[in-house]
Amino acid sequence: MAISSDSSKQPLITKTLIKCMSCDYSIERDFQEGDFVPKLVGTCPKDGGKLYIAGIYAIKLQPQQAKR
Amino acid sequence: MLFDIFNIVAMAQGLGGSSSSEFLLTTILYIVFMGFIVASFFPGFQQKMQIGFLSRDVEKNLYMIEGYLKDSKSMAEKLLKDKNFPEPQQFINKVMERFVIDPVNIEPTDIISRMKLLLRANEDTVREMITKYSPNIDPMTRSQIEISAEVVNALNMIFKIIRHYLLMAKKLNSIMIMYQLQMVAPIYVKLAEAYARAQKVFLQGIPVGDGLGPLVASRFLMNINDKWVPSKDIIAGTMEFEGRRLIVVKAEGPMATVGTPGEAVQNIIEKEGSKVSRIITVDAALKLEGEDTGSIAEGMGVAMGDPGPEKIAIERVATKYNIPIDAVIVKMSMEEAITEMRKEVYDSADKVVNYVKDLIRERTKPGDSVVLVGVGNTAGIAQ
Ligand SMILES: [Zn+2]
Protein backbone atom coordinates (compact mmCIF):
# COMPACT_ATOMS: atom_id res chain seq x y z
CA MET A 1 0.00 0.00 0.00
CA ALA A 2 1.08 3.56 -0.71
CA ILE A 3 0.63 4.53 2.92
CA SER A 4 3.48 2.47 4.31
CA SER A 5 6.03 4.21 2.11
CA ASP A 6 5.18 7.51 3.79
CA SER A 7 7.78 9.29 5.87
CA SER A 8 5.12 9.76 8.58
CA LYS A 9 5.77 6.17 9.65
CA GLN A 10 9.09 7.31 11.09
CA PRO A 11 8.79 7.44 14.88
CA LEU A 12 8.60 10.93 16.35
CA ILE A 13 9.66 12.11 19.78
CA THR A 14 8.32 15.28 21.35
CA LYS A 15 10.81 17.71 22.89
CA THR A 16 10.40 20.84 24.97
CA LEU A 17 12.81 23.73 24.40
CA ILE A 18 13.44 25.99 27.40
CA LYS A 19 15.07 29.40 27.00
CA CYS A 20 16.16 32.20 29.28
CA MET A 21 14.51 35.61 28.91
CA SER A 22 17.69 37.60 29.54
CA CYS A 23 20.61 35.55 28.15
CA ASP A 24 21.24 32.96 25.46
CA TYR A 25 20.90 29.94 27.79
CA SER A 26 18.70 27.19 26.38
CA ILE A 27 18.05 23.53 27.13
CA GLU A 28 16.05 20.82 25.37
CA ARG A 29 14.34 18.07 27.33
CA ASP A 30 11.60 15.47 26.75
CA PHE A 31 8.05 16.79 26.71
CA GLN A 32 6.11 16.39 29.96
CA GLU A 33 2.36 16.65 30.26
CA GLY A 34 1.44 20.11 31.52
CA ASP A 35 4.05 21.88 29.39
CA PHE A 36 2.85 24.74 27.23
CA VAL A 37 4.29 27.78 25.45
CA PRO A 38 5.36 30.19 27.09
CA LYS A 39 5.05 28.67 30.59
CA LEU A 40 7.58 29.92 33.16
CA VAL A 41 9.72 27.07 34.49
CA GLY A 42 12.16 28.42 37.08
CA THR A 43 15.30 30.51 36.97
CA CYS A 44 18.36 30.48 34.76
CA PRO A 45 21.49 28.81 36.24
CA LYS A 46 23.70 31.30 34.37
CA ASP A 47 22.28 34.70 35.33
CA GLY A 48 19.12 34.03 37.38
CA GLY A 49 16.77 35.24 34.62
CA LYS A 50 13.33 33.77 34.08
CA LEU A 51 13.20 30.51 32.15
CA TYR A 52 10.26 29.95 29.79
CA ILE A 53 9.16 27.22 27.39
CA ALA A 54 9.98 28.61 23.95
CA GLY A 55 8.71 25.67 21.95
CA ILE A 56 7.33 22.15 21.92
CA TYR A 57 8.04 20.17 18.77
CA ALA A 58 8.50 16.68 17.39
CA ILE A 59 11.78 15.45 15.96
CA LYS A 60 12.40 12.26 14.01
CA LEU A 61 14.08 9.58 16.07
CA GLN A 62 17.50 8.62 14.70
CA PRO A 63 17.55 4.98 13.49
CA GLN A 64 20.08 3.84 16.12
CA GLN A 65 18.03 5.54 18.85
CA ALA A 66 14.85 3.88 17.58
CA LYS A 67 16.39 0.43 17.91
CA ARG A 68 17.22 0.86 21.57
CA MET B 1 16.50 -21.82 10.25
CA LEU B 2 17.19 -22.53 6.58
CA PHE B 3 17.78 -26.21 7.35
CA ASP B 4 14.41 -26.43 9.05
CA ILE B 5 12.74 -25.27 5.86
CA PHE B 6 14.59 -27.88 3.80
CA ASN B 7 13.53 -30.57 6.23
CA ILE B 8 9.88 -29.58 6.02
CA VAL B 9 9.98 -29.57 2.20
CA ALA B 10 11.63 -32.97 2.15
CA MET B 11 9.02 -34.36 4.55
CA ALA B 12 6.17 -33.03 2.44
CA GLN B 13 7.64 -34.62 -0.66
CA GLY B 14 8.10 -37.90 1.16
CA LEU B 15 4.43 -38.03 2.15
CA GLY B 16 2.99 -38.06 -1.40
CA GLY B 17 5.21 -40.93 -2.47
CA SER B 18 2.87 -43.40 -4.26
CA SER B 19 2.22 -43.01 -7.98
CA SER B 20 -1.59 -43.50 -7.83
CA SER B 21 -2.12 -40.52 -5.53
CA GLU B 22 0.16 -38.48 -7.76
CA PHE B 23 -2.02 -39.35 -10.76
CA LEU B 24 -5.18 -38.40 -8.87
CA LEU B 25 -3.70 -35.04 -7.90
CA THR B 26 -2.68 -34.28 -11.51
CA THR B 27 -6.16 -35.18 -12.77
CA ILE B 28 -7.89 -32.99 -10.23
CA LEU B 29 -5.61 -30.08 -11.02
CA TYR B 30 -6.25 -30.61 -14.74
CA ILE B 31 -10.06 -30.61 -14.25
CA VAL B 32 -9.95 -27.48 -12.11
CA PHE B 33 -7.74 -25.74 -14.66
CA MET B 34 -9.97 -26.68 -17.63
CA GLY B 35 -13.11 -25.73 -15.70
CA PHE B 36 -11.55 -22.36 -14.99
CA ILE B 37 -10.78 -21.77 -18.68
CA VAL B 38 -14.31 -22.79 -19.78
CA ALA B 39 -15.91 -20.64 -17.05
CA SER B 40 -13.90 -17.61 -18.13
CA PHE B 41 -15.67 -17.72 -21.54
CA PHE B 42 -19.02 -17.08 -19.88
CA PRO B 43 -19.81 -13.38 -19.72
CA GLY B 44 -19.69 -11.91 -16.23
CA PHE B 45 -17.41 -14.51 -14.71
CA GLN B 46 -14.28 -12.41 -15.01
CA GLN B 47 -16.11 -9.37 -13.73
CA LYS B 48 -17.39 -11.29 -10.71
CA MET B 49 -13.84 -12.40 -9.95
CA GLN B 50 -12.58 -8.88 -10.28
CA ILE B 51 -15.31 -7.49 -8.03
CA GLY B 52 -14.34 -10.14 -5.53
CA PHE B 53 -10.69 -9.09 -5.56
CA LEU B 54 -11.50 -5.39 -5.40
CA SER B 55 -14.00 -5.75 -2.59
CA ARG B 56 -11.51 -7.71 -0.53
CA ASP B 57 -9.05 -4.87 -0.93
CA VAL B 58 -11.66 -2.29 0.09
CA GLU B 59 -12.76 -4.40 3.05
CA LYS B 60 -9.20 -4.51 4.29
CA ASN B 61 -9.09 -0.71 4.21
CA LEU B 62 -12.49 -0.48 5.86
CA TYR B 63 -11.31 -2.67 8.75
CA MET B 64 -8.37 -0.34 9.26
CA ILE B 65 -10.69 2.67 9.40
CA GLU B 66 -12.96 0.82 11.82
CA GLY B 67 -9.92 0.09 13.98
CA TYR B 68 -9.04 3.78 14.18
CA LEU B 69 -12.67 4.59 15.02
CA LYS B 70 -12.68 2.04 17.85
CA ASP B 71 -9.36 3.33 19.21
CA SER B 72 -10.64 6.88 19.13
CA LYS B 73 -13.89 5.93 20.88
CA SER B 74 -12.12 4.06 23.64
CA MET B 75 -9.70 6.96 24.09
CA ALA B 76 -12.63 9.35 24.45
CA GLU B 77 -14.35 6.98 26.86
CA LYS B 78 -11.25 6.69 28.99
CA LEU B 79 -10.91 10.48 29.16
CA LEU B 80 -14.54 10.86 30.22
CA LYS B 81 -14.25 8.09 32.81
CA ASP B 82 -11.09 9.64 34.27
CA LYS B 83 -12.97 12.91 34.68
CA ASN B 84 -15.88 11.16 36.44
CA PHE B 85 -18.27 11.93 33.61
CA PRO B 86 -21.59 10.12 34.15
CA GLU B 87 -22.56 7.72 31.32
CA PRO B 88 -19.65 8.32 28.91
CA GLN B 89 -20.95 5.77 26.41
CA GLN B 90 -24.23 7.61 26.01
CA PHE B 91 -22.47 10.94 25.48
CA ILE B 92 -20.13 9.49 22.84
CA ASN B 93 -22.96 7.85 20.92
CA LYS B 94 -24.82 11.15 20.94
CA VAL B 95 -21.95 13.29 19.61
CA MET B 96 -20.78 10.58 17.20
CA GLU B 97 -23.90 10.95 15.08
CA ARG B 98 -24.19 14.74 15.32
CA PHE B 99 -24.45 16.75 12.12
CA VAL B 100 -24.90 20.32 10.91
CA ILE B 101 -27.12 20.89 7.89
CA ASP B 102 -25.79 23.38 5.35
CA PRO B 103 -27.90 26.51 5.00
CA VAL B 104 -30.00 26.91 1.83
CA ASN B 105 -27.70 28.22 -0.91
CA ILE B 106 -30.08 28.86 -3.81
CA GLU B 107 -30.99 32.04 -1.95
CA PRO B 108 -27.55 33.47 -1.09
CA THR B 109 -28.77 36.54 0.80
CA ASP B 110 -27.44 36.47 4.39
CA ILE B 111 -26.07 32.94 3.87
CA ILE B 112 -23.03 33.84 6.00
CA SER B 113 -25.08 34.92 8.99
CA ARG B 114 -27.19 31.79 8.71
CA MET B 115 -24.09 29.63 8.45
CA LYS B 116 -22.46 31.42 11.37
CA LEU B 117 -25.56 30.89 13.48
CA LEU B 118 -25.63 27.16 12.75
CA LEU B 119 -21.90 26.59 13.33
CA ARG B 120 -21.78 28.67 16.52
CA ALA B 121 -24.96 27.20 17.92
CA ASN B 122 -23.65 23.70 17.24
CA GLU B 123 -20.40 24.44 19.10
CA ASP B 124 -22.28 26.00 21.98
CA THR B 125 -24.69 23.07 22.17
CA VAL B 126 -21.88 20.51 22.44
CA ARG B 127 -20.23 22.69 25.08
CA GLU B 128 -23.50 22.91 27.02
CA MET B 129 -23.93 19.15 26.78
CA ILE B 130 -20.52 18.75 28.42
CA THR B 131 -21.06 21.36 31.13
CA LYS B 132 -24.52 19.98 31.89
CA TYR B 133 -23.05 16.56 32.67
CA SER B 134 -20.07 17.99 34.50
CA PRO B 135 -20.67 21.57 35.70
CA ASN B 136 -17.28 22.20 37.35
CA ILE B 137 -15.15 21.08 34.41
CA ASP B 138 -11.93 23.03 33.75
CA PRO B 139 -11.56 24.65 30.31
CA MET B 140 -8.58 22.44 29.38
CA THR B 141 -10.48 19.19 29.92
CA ARG B 142 -13.56 20.64 28.25
CA SER B 143 -11.58 21.47 25.12
CA GLN B 144 -10.09 17.97 25.14
CA ILE B 145 -13.56 16.45 25.28
CA GLU B 146 -14.72 18.74 22.47
CA ILE B 147 -11.79 17.70 20.27
CA SER B 148 -12.34 14.01 21.04
CA ALA B 149 -16.01 14.38 20.13
CA GLU B 150 -15.03 16.00 16.82
CA VAL B 151 -12.51 13.26 15.98
CA VAL B 152 -14.93 10.43 16.82
CA ASN B 153 -17.59 12.17 14.74
CA ALA B 154 -15.26 12.59 11.73
CA LEU B 155 -13.98 8.99 11.88
CA ASN B 156 -17.50 7.67 12.20
CA MET B 157 -18.50 9.64 9.10
CA ILE B 158 -15.54 8.33 7.06
CA PHE B 159 -16.25 4.76 8.17
CA LYS B 160 -19.96 4.95 7.39
CA ILE B 161 -19.49 6.47 3.92
CA ILE B 162 -16.87 3.95 2.79
CA ARG B 163 -19.04 1.13 4.14
CA HIS B 164 -22.08 2.56 2.35
CA TYR B 165 -20.39 2.55 -1.07
CA LEU B 166 -18.89 -0.88 -0.50
CA LEU B 167 -22.27 -2.40 0.32
CA MET B 168 -23.89 -0.54 -2.55
CA ALA B 169 -21.29 -1.75 -5.04
CA LYS B 170 -21.82 -5.31 -3.85
CA LYS B 171 -25.58 -5.00 -3.99
CA LEU B 172 -25.59 -3.52 -7.50
CA ASN B 173 -22.73 -5.76 -8.56
CA SER B 174 -21.13 -2.60 -9.99
CA ILE B 175 -17.49 -2.88 -10.92
CA MET B 176 -17.31 0.85 -11.65
CA ILE B 177 -18.28 1.87 -8.12
CA MET B 178 -15.91 -0.76 -6.76
CA TYR B 179 -13.02 0.56 -8.87
CA GLN B 180 -13.57 4.13 -7.66
CA LEU B 181 -13.87 2.98 -4.09
CA GLN B 182 -10.72 0.92 -4.30
CA MET B 183 -8.90 4.00 -5.61
CA VAL B 184 -10.01 6.41 -2.85
CA ALA B 185 -10.12 4.04 0.15
CA PRO B 186 -6.36 4.22 0.92
CA ILE B 187 -6.57 8.04 1.00
CA TYR B 188 -9.29 7.80 3.64
CA VAL B 189 -7.31 5.26 5.64
CA LYS B 190 -4.50 7.80 5.74
CA LEU B 191 -6.87 10.56 6.80
CA ALA B 192 -8.41 8.35 9.49
CA GLU B 193 -4.96 7.49 10.81
CA ALA B 194 -4.06 11.19 11.00
CA TYR B 195 -7.29 11.98 12.86
CA ALA B 196 -6.72 9.20 15.38
CA ARG B 197 -3.18 10.42 15.98
CA ALA B 198 -4.33 14.01 16.26
CA GLN B 199 -6.65 13.03 19.11
CA LYS B 200 -3.75 11.49 21.05
CA VAL B 201 -1.64 14.62 20.49
CA PHE B 202 -4.43 16.98 21.59
CA LEU B 203 -5.12 14.93 24.72
CA GLN B 204 -1.48 15.31 25.78
CA GLY B 205 -1.61 19.07 25.20
CA ILE B 206 1.15 19.06 22.57
CA PRO B 207 1.00 21.93 20.03
CA VAL B 208 0.05 20.85 16.51
CA GLY B 209 1.41 22.13 13.18
CA ASP B 210 -1.65 24.33 12.77
CA GLY B 211 -0.51 26.09 15.97
CA LEU B 212 2.08 28.00 13.91
CA GLY B 213 -0.09 31.14 13.73
CA PRO B 214 -0.81 31.23 17.48
CA LEU B 215 2.89 30.53 18.21
CA VAL B 216 3.94 33.57 16.18
CA ALA B 217 1.29 35.71 17.92
CA SER B 218 2.41 34.34 21.30
CA ARG B 219 5.97 35.60 20.65
CA PHE B 220 4.55 39.14 20.59
CA LEU B 221 1.87 38.68 23.27
CA MET B 222 4.17 37.16 25.93
CA ASN B 223 5.71 40.60 26.52
CA ILE B 224 2.36 42.36 26.82
CA ASN B 225 0.70 42.55 30.23
CA ASP B 226 -2.53 44.25 29.28
CA LYS B 227 -4.68 41.77 27.36
CA TRP B 228 -8.40 41.68 26.68
CA VAL B 229 -11.02 39.39 25.11
CA PRO B 230 -12.39 40.89 21.87
CA SER B 231 -14.63 37.88 21.09
CA LYS B 232 -15.36 34.31 22.18
CA ASP B 233 -12.17 32.28 22.93
CA ILE B 234 -9.87 35.04 21.63
CA ILE B 235 -7.13 37.07 23.34
CA ALA B 236 -5.76 40.39 22.08
CA GLY B 237 -2.98 42.69 23.25
CA THR B 238 -1.56 46.04 22.18
CA MET B 239 2.12 46.91 22.00
CA GLU B 240 4.28 49.60 20.51
CA PHE B 241 6.50 48.52 17.66
CA GLU B 242 8.91 51.14 16.21
CA GLY B 243 6.34 53.92 16.49
CA ARG B 244 3.40 51.79 15.28
CA ARG B 245 0.50 50.58 17.41
CA LEU B 246 0.51 46.82 16.96
CA ILE B 247 -2.60 44.88 17.99
CA VAL B 248 -1.95 41.13 18.20
CA VAL B 249 -4.79 38.59 18.11
CA LYS B 250 -4.81 34.83 18.78
CA ALA B 251 -7.10 32.11 20.14
CA GLU B 252 -6.98 31.75 23.92
CA GLY B 253 -4.56 28.97 24.85
CA PRO B 254 -3.35 26.55 25.95
CA MET B 255 -6.77 24.98 25.37
CA ALA B 256 -7.35 23.35 21.99
CA THR B 257 -9.41 25.95 20.16
CA VAL B 258 -9.29 28.11 17.03
CA GLY B 259 -11.59 30.74 18.57
CA THR B 260 -13.41 33.36 16.52
CA PRO B 261 -10.61 35.43 14.95
CA GLY B 262 -12.87 36.99 12.31
CA GLU B 263 -15.26 38.46 14.81
CA ALA B 264 -12.33 39.61 16.95
CA VAL B 265 -10.70 41.53 14.07
CA GLN B 266 -14.07 43.01 13.14
CA ASN B 267 -14.66 44.25 16.69
CA ILE B 268 -11.13 45.65 16.99
CA ILE B 269 -11.21 47.52 13.69
CA GLU B 270 -14.71 48.87 14.28
CA LYS B 271 -13.29 50.41 17.46
CA GLU B 272 -9.99 51.63 15.96
CA GLY B 273 -11.58 52.83 12.71
CA SER B 274 -9.47 54.15 9.85
CA LYS B 275 -6.33 54.35 12.02
CA VAL B 276 -5.61 50.73 11.05
CA SER B 277 -3.50 50.75 7.90
CA ARG B 278 -2.70 47.04 7.56
CA ILE B 279 -4.01 43.62 8.59
CA ILE B 280 -1.51 40.76 8.66
CA THR B 281 -2.75 37.16 8.91
CA VAL B 282 -0.36 34.30 9.70
CA ASP B 283 -1.47 30.70 9.24
CA ALA B 284 -0.35 27.18 8.43
CA ALA B 285 -1.19 26.18 4.86
CA LEU B 286 -1.38 22.88 3.05
CA LYS B 287 1.69 22.17 0.94
CA LEU B 288 1.68 20.45 -2.41
CA GLU B 289 3.56 17.15 -2.60
CA GLY B 290 7.19 18.05 -3.28
CA GLU B 291 7.15 21.35 -1.40
CA ASP B 292 9.22 21.60 1.78
CA THR B 293 7.60 21.46 5.20
CA GLY B 294 8.20 24.76 6.97
CA SER B 295 8.74 26.86 3.84
CA ILE B 296 7.36 30.40 4.09
CA ALA B 297 5.34 32.22 1.42
CA GLU B 298 3.58 35.54 1.34
CA GLY B 299 0.54 36.87 -0.50
CA MET B 300 -2.59 38.94 -0.28
CA GLY B 301 -5.86 37.98 1.40
CA VAL B 302 -7.05 36.35 4.62
CA ALA B 303 -4.97 33.25 5.40
CA MET B 304 -7.52 31.11 7.20
CA GLY B 305 -9.00 27.64 6.73
CA ASP B 306 -12.50 28.48 7.79
CA PRO B 307 -15.84 27.43 6.27
CA GLY B 308 -16.63 31.10 5.67
CA PRO B 309 -18.03 33.21 8.52
CA GLU B 310 -14.73 34.14 10.21
CA LYS B 311 -12.86 34.80 6.99
CA ILE B 312 -15.57 36.99 5.50
CA ALA B 313 -15.80 39.05 8.69
CA ILE B 314 -12.20 40.19 8.14
CA GLU B 315 -12.74 40.75 4.41
CA ARG B 316 -15.85 42.85 5.05
CA VAL B 317 -14.36 45.09 7.72
CA ALA B 318 -11.18 45.50 5.64
CA THR B 319 -13.26 46.52 2.63
CA LYS B 320 -15.24 48.99 4.70
CA TYR B 321 -12.09 50.85 5.81
CA ASN B 322 -10.04 50.01 2.69
CA ILE B 323 -7.28 48.14 4.57
CA PRO B 324 -4.94 45.79 2.65
CA ILE B 325 -4.68 42.26 4.09
CA ASP B 326 -1.33 40.46 3.99
CA ALA B 327 -1.12 36.69 4.29
CA VAL B 328 2.02 34.94 5.55
CA ILE B 329 1.81 31.17 5.38
CA VAL B 330 4.01 28.26 6.46
CA LYS B 331 3.56 25.10 4.44
CA MET B 332 2.97 21.59 5.77
CA SER B 333 0.98 18.47 4.91
CA MET B 334 -2.51 17.78 6.24
CA GLU B 335 -1.11 15.22 8.66
CA GLU B 336 1.62 17.56 9.89
CA ALA B 337 -0.99 20.27 10.45
CA ILE B 338 -3.17 18.20 12.80
CA THR B 339 -0.46 16.21 14.63
CA GLU B 340 2.65 17.22 16.68
CA MET B 341 4.31 20.40 15.43
CA ARG B 342 7.43 19.38 13.52
CA LYS B 343 10.80 20.96 14.29
CA GLU B 344 10.87 22.46 10.77
CA VAL B 345 7.60 24.26 11.45
CA TYR B 346 8.77 25.43 14.88
CA ASP B 347 11.95 26.85 13.33
CA SER B 348 9.83 28.72 10.80
CA ALA B 349 7.87 30.45 13.57
CA ASP B 350 10.83 32.62 14.60
CA LYS B 351 11.59 33.35 10.94
CA VAL B 352 7.98 34.44 10.47
CA VAL B 353 8.27 36.77 13.49
CA ASN B 354 11.15 38.58 11.75
CA TYR B 355 9.33 38.42 8.42
CA VAL B 356 6.29 40.12 9.95
CA LYS B 357 8.48 42.78 11.58
CA ASP B 358 10.12 43.57 8.22
CA LEU B 359 6.73 43.67 6.58
CA ILE B 360 5.46 46.20 9.13
CA ARG B 361 8.58 48.38 8.67
CA GLU B 362 8.23 48.28 4.88
CA ARG B 363 4.51 48.77 4.44
CA THR B 364 3.40 51.00 7.30
CA LYS B 365 4.49 54.37 8.66
CA PRO B 366 5.15 55.34 12.30
CA GLY B 367 1.84 56.42 13.86
CA ASP B 368 -0.16 53.75 11.99
CA SER B 369 -2.06 50.94 13.67
CA VAL B 370 -1.49 47.36 12.50
CA VAL B 371 -3.54 44.26 13.34
CA LEU B 372 -1.62 40.95 13.44
CA VAL B 373 -3.69 37.75 13.57
CA GLY B 374 -2.16 34.35 14.38
CA VAL B 375 -4.71 31.98 12.91
CA GLY B 376 -4.93 28.31 13.92
CA ASN B 377 -5.48 25.86 16.73
CA THR B 378 -3.75 27.05 19.87
CA ALA B 379 -3.44 23.73 21.75
CA GLY B 380 -0.42 23.88 24.05
CA ILE B 381 0.28 27.52 23.24
CA ALA B 382 -0.76 30.19 25.75
CA GLN B 383 0.00 33.90 25.46
ZN1 LIG C 1 19.94 33.38 31.63
Side-chain angles (χ1 to χ4, degrees), chain A residues 1 3 6 8-9 12 14 17 19 21 28 31 33-38 52 54-60, chain B residues 60-61 186 189-190 193 197 204-207 215 218-219 222 254 335 340-343 346 380-383:
Chain A
M1 238 177 304
I3 312 155
D6 203 296
S8 65
K9 278 284 174 278
L12 293 171
T14 310
L17 180 69
K19 280 186 178 172
M21 279 188 178
E28 194 186 72
F31 171 81
E33 231 162 281
D35 283 357
F36 64 83
V37 182
Y52 71 103
I56 298 164
Y57 45 73
I59 52 174
K60 287 189 188 103
Chain B
K60 204 174 70 192
N61 285 320
V189 171
K190 209 181 149 166
E193 188 196 359
R197 245 185 72 191
Q204 291 177 82
I206 298 171
L215 182 59
S218 161
R219 287 285 193 263
M222 65 180 283
E335 199 200 337
E340 304 99 313
M341 180 182 281
R342 304 298 193 272
K343 181 84 169 27
Y346 169 77
I381 302 164
Q383 47 277 324

Side-chain angles (χ1 to χ4, degrees), chain A residues 32-53:
Chain A
Q32 295 164 0
E33 231 162 281
D35 283 357
F36 64 83
V37 182
K39 187 183 181 184
L40 294 174
V41 283
T43 50
C44 173
K46 260 167 90 178
D47 66 349
K50 280 184 199 159
L51 289 181
Y52 71 103
I53 294 178

Side-chain angles (χ1 to χ4, degrees), chain B residues 72 75-86 88 91-92 95-96 126-153 199 202-203 255-256:
Chain B
S72 161
M75 226 188 306
E77 216 182 309
K78 189 174 168 290
L79 171 72
L80 292 172
K81 267 188 192 148
D82 287 352
K83 303 291 171 188
N84 299 318
F85 210 82
F91 175 78
I92 292 168
V95 293
M96 197 167 87
V126 173
R127 195 167 282 191
E128 275 162 24
M129 278 163 72
I130 298 169
T131 45
K132 195 192 85 191
Y133 282 120
S134 175
N136 304 319
I137 203 158
D138 60 295
M140 191 71 191
T141 311
R142 196 199 59 216
S143 82
Q144 287 176 339
I145 296 173
E146 283 170 3
I147 289 278
S148 295
E150 264 174 59
V151 170
V152 173
N153 186 286
Q199 189 184 6
F202 276 117
L203 291 190
M255 291 81 76

Side-chain angles (χ1 to χ4, degrees), chain B residues 89-298:
Chain B
Q89 195 75 51
Q90 198 195 347
F91 175 78
I92 292 168
N93 288 339
K94 230 172 171 180
V95 293
M96 197 167 87
E97 297 289 337
R98 257 193 100 76
F99 55 87
V100 177
I101 299 168
D102 280 346
V104 173
N105 57 19
I106 50 167
E107 161 60 297
T109 317
D110 75 4
I111 191 166
I112 283 293
S113 41
R114 285 181 278 136
M115 195 178 195
K116 186 173 159 187
L117 172 79
L118 294 173
L119 293 174
R120 282 280 179 92
N122 183 51
E123 268 177 36
D124 292 345
T125 309
V126 173
R127 195 167 282 191
E128 275 162 24
M129 278 163 72
I130 298 169
T131 45
K132 195 192 85 191
Y133 282 120
S134 175
N136 304 319
I137 203 158
D138 60 295
M140 191 71 191
T141 311
R142 196 199 59 216
S143 82
Q144 287 176 339
I145 296 173
E146 283 170 3
I147 289 278
S148 295
E150 264 174 59
V151 170
V152 173
N153 186 286
L155 286 174
N156 186 42
M157 190 56 91
I158 295 172
F159 171 70
K160 284 200 302 186
I161 289 175
I162 300 281
R163 186 183 62 184
H164 165 77
Y165 282 108
L166 176 67
L167 294 177
M168 203 164 84
K170 277 186 178 172
K171 206 190 233 170
L172 300 175
N173 213 0
S174 162
I175 197 164
M176 279 306 153
I177 298 176
M178 204 57 107
Y179 261 126
Q180 292 180 43
L181 196 55
Q182 192 244 2
M183 278 186 262
V184 297
I187 299 173
Y188 285 97
V189 171
K190 209 181 149 166
L191 191 65
E193 188 196 359
Y195 270 123
R197 245 185 72 191
Q199 189 184 6
K200 262 179 227 158
V201 171
F202 276 117
L203 291 190
Q204 291 177 82
I206 298 171
V208 294
D210 189 41
L212 181 273
L215 182 59
V216 170
S218 161
R219 287 285 193 263
F220 290 94
L221 282 170
M222 65 180 283
N223 300 315
I224 303 173
N225 290 320
D226 182 30
K227 290 165 204 154
W228 76 96
V229 178
S231 67
K232 188 187 158 206
D233 293 344
I234 292 280
I235 287 281
T238 311
M239 66 181 279
E240 205 247 46
F241 175 75
E242 299 185 9
R244 285 92 166 159
R245 205 170 119 81
L246 178 61
I247 302 161
V248 187
V249 179
K250 78 181 270 295
E252 186 179 1
M255 291 81 76
T257 176
V258 290
T260 52
E263 196 184 324
V265 171
Q266 190 185 353
N267 292 344
I268 288 166
I269 293 179
E270 287 295 358
K271 217 168 70 186
E272 297 281 317
S274 48
K275 275 184 288 178
V276 178
S277 66
R278 205 99 196 166
I279 299 169
I280 303 167
T281 54
V282 179
D283 195 10
L286 284 190
K287 68 169 185 176
L288 298 169
E289 282 303 329
E291 283 187 303
D292 288 329
T293 296
S295 56
I296 301 168
E298 186 219 314

